[in-house]
Amino acid sequence: MQSQEIHPTTLELFLHIPIKPRTKEDPLLLAKAFRRGKPYADPYNDIEDKGGLRFVVLVSADIKIVERVLNTCPKWTAVRARDYEEERRQRPY
């Protein structure tokens, strides 16, 4: 994370749990591909969340900071698969 985006806060205070990579375990991947009624033509390649990172921040406004850093980092290919703000507007509770 670019420190100027969160200055003077430290990364340890900005993110509330350490970032850890995760992969979707085979049983969950298979359930998503074949048992959830999703119309995947090529399940393994169509499922976008086989792996990922979770960023936990204190306030929802900080999500924009994380998004901006990921979108401007040349080491990442960032794709928005879901829109948190739109989901929140549709289901505020």
Side-chain angles (χ1 to χ4, degrees):
M1 175 110 11
Q2 298 171 346
S3 62
Q4 65 269 22
E5 291 283 345
I6 60 171
H7 181 75
T9 302
T10 64
L11 184 60
E12 291 76 20
L13 291 175
F14 182 76
L15 297 175
H16 289 273
I17 63 171
I19 303 168
K20 286 193 230 175
R22 65 142 185 101
T23 56
K24 191 173 291 277
E25 295 179 12
D26 288 343
L28 296 173
L29 187 60
L30 290 169
K32 185 169 189 173
F34 299 110
R35 293 191 285 274
R36 291 192 186 167
K38 305 240 180 177
Y40 295 119
D42 182 359
Y44 188 78
N45 289 313
D46 292 346
I47 294 173
E48 297 175 325
D49 63 340
K50 293 182 287 282
L53 299 171
R54 179 170 294 180
F55 297 88
V56 178
V57 294
L58 182 61
V59 295
S60 59
D62 289 346
I63 294 170
K64 287 288 191 195
I65 295 171
V66 174
E67 180 180 37
R68 187 169 50 251
V69 169
L70 293 176
N71 283 328
T72 58
C73 180
K75 295 180 180 185
W76 290 91
T77 300
V79 176
R80 180 184 286 204
R82 292 175 57 182
D83 187 332
Y84 166 76
E85 291 176 339
E86 181 59 30
E87 289 178 17
R88 194 168 160 211
R89 275 190 291 279
Q90 290 180 5
R91 292 181 301 280
Y93 302 106

